[in-house]
Amino acid sequence: MSEQELRLVVASRGDGAEGVVVLELADPDGAALPAWTPGAHVDLVLTVGGDRGAGPGQELTRQYSLCGDPADRSRYRIGVLREPAGRGGSAHVHDHLREGDEVCVRGPRNHFELVPAPRYVFVAGGIGITPILPMVAAARAAGVPAELHYGGRSRRSMAFLEELEGHVLHPQDEVGLIDLDAVLGDLPDGTLVYCCGPEPLLAAVEERVAPEVLHLERFTPKDVGDPVRSDAFEVELSLSGRTLTVPPDRSIMAVLRDNGVEVLSSCEEGTCGTCETGVLEGEVDHRDSLLTPAEQAANDVMFVCVSRAACPRLVLEL
């Protein structure tokens, strides 16, 4: 799998909301950036720590949704929420990235595509508005009926409000939580529902919407329970003919690395889609937070950072 790696500069930086910084990234020579579609994200490869002679620092890769205009190839726009309980990636962006700084960017990639439909309902919570913004704009531009319900703790914490005139806002301190029963009840035939936000919101939407019409993007992995198999299994690599054994306590990704097989990776928790790998034979125990039930049933791709085998042997397109 090949993927573009870009060296971009921070062209502008601003406050998007309380605790949210908005960055625009551009090519230092003014070149056009790779095309993207609504729902796409990029990786920022950040070196955290190690300043002023403190060593090389720790490399962290973090995923951020593109929330600008796909027609504008001059810049990528992202919104970054400071996560006090995080591992330092968002704090580094907030505290250290300034206009003119260079940053390594990988992508874009999209596992949250806007599928054509006669009508949309978008539900966003907090920083989950970022992938939804260009989707709403695309639906409007196409003349497709679409309604957006955007919730947050308060207006101060809700980003991009100036771009959301005419949509329904749900600041919790003013109106309470989004009334999902009212928003998602009696959906007209053909309606697709797109949702991004914190896990309690996603879980509540999943309870109310049929899987075949629901599209979710998660920032953190969902709980998928215990693996189907508790014993070792084999992975055959179709391009080399090698067969590797994956023990119960190791991931496929880790075993591949141990054996010199490089697969692109980023989150390593089944939320970003970087390590997508083709499956030629065998049944997969899908443990990611990306594929829809229908995509899992197709059994033709898997994410080797978290997913495993539901059979004694898998044949992968590696």
Side-chain angles (χ1 to χ4, degrees):
M1 180 189 297
S2 62
E3 181 170 299
Q4 301 206 48
E5 183 167 300
L6 311 169
R7 302 298 303 187
L8 305 183
V9 296
V10 179
S12 72
R13 172 190 166 106
D15 293 327
E18 186 176 78
V20 177
V21 66
V22 178
L23 302 181
E24 290 190 335
L25 309 173
D27 184 274
D29 299 320
L33 300 178
W36 60 282
T37 54
H41 69 263
V42 293
D43 293 345
L44 263 59
V45 184
L46 307 167
T47 301
V48 178
D51 294 334
R52 297 189 176 95
Q58 177 188 9
E59 185 175 285
L60 297 178
T61 302
R62 296 292 180 265
Q63 296 78 44
Y64 298 107
S65 297
L66 295 173
C67 58
D69 179 2
D72 182 1
R73 300 278 299 278
S74 68
R75 298 189 175 199
Y76 288 156
R77 184 175 73 164
I78 61 173
V80 181
L81 172 68
R82 181 187 284 273
E83 298 277 7
R87 291 177 288 171
S90 66
H92 180 82
V93 171
H94 276 252
D95 297 339
H96 296 286
L97 279 188
R98 298 290 182 263
E99 289 187 15
D101 286 350
E102 188 176 87
V103 62
C104 177
V105 176
R106 294 178 185 148
R109 72 181 70 89
N110 198 342
H111 289 277
F112 194 41
E113 288 276 4
L114 185 63
V115 178
R119 184 176 181 271
Y120 299 102
V121 173
F122 298 103
V123 181
I127 199 63
I129 190 62
T130 49
I132 298 295
L133 266 179
M135 292 185 175
V136 173
R140 278 189 161 181
V144 178
E147 60 182 79
L148 167 65
H149 294 268
Y150 176 27
R153 296 188 312 277
S154 67
R155 290 179 186 270
R156 295 189 309 277
S157 70
M158 297 168 67
F160 306 110
L161 291 187
E162 70 280 359
E163 301 178 27
L164 296 172
E165 184 178 349
H167 294 287
V168 185
L169 305 180
H170 302 261
Q172 188 174 344
D173 61 348
E174 297 177 25
V175 300
L177 298 173
I178 301 172
D179 185 348
L180 295 176
D181 290 329
V183 170
L184 301 174
D186 298 322
L187 294 174
D189 290 344
T191 302
L192 293 185
V193 177
Y194 280 78
C195 180
C196 185
E199 184 59 33
L201 174 65
L202 301 182
V205 170
E206 281 185 304
E207 291 177 357
R208 292 166 170 83
V209 180
E212 60 269 20
V213 302
L214 178 59
H215 297 259
L216 298 177
E217 182 164 69
R218 283 181 157 86
F219 296 133
T220 56
K222 63 182 178 181
D223 183 2
V224 294
D226 294 330
V228 171
R229 297 175 61 92
S230 59
D231 55 349
F233 59 90
E234 292 185 336
V235 171
E236 179 183 331
L237 311 184
S238 67
L239 301 183
S240 66
R242 298 172 66 190
T243 297
L244 306 176
T245 299
V246 180
D249 60 341
R250 305 294 307 284
S251 68
I252 297 176
M253 174 75 77
V255 171
L256 291 172
R257 286 176 174 165
D258 288 347
N259 288 272
V261 181
E262 289 300 320
V263 176
L264 283 175
S265 65
S266 179
C267 72
E268 300 199 16
E269 58 185 16
T271 59
C272 76
T274 310
C275 67
E276 181 176 335
T277 301
V279 179
L280 301 179
E281 294 180 28
E283 184 181 355
V284 179
D285 176 11
H286 292 286
R287 307 183 61 75
D288 64 273
S289 302
L290 285 161
L291 297 178
T292 66
E295 289 169 336
Q296 291 185 352
N299 211 57
D300 55 359
V301 297
M302 71 182 300
F303 299 101
V304 293
C305 64
V306 292
S307 293
R308 305 184 65 79
C311 61
R313 185 182 184 90
L314 290 174
V315 180
L316 303 183
E317 197 172 2
L318 289 173

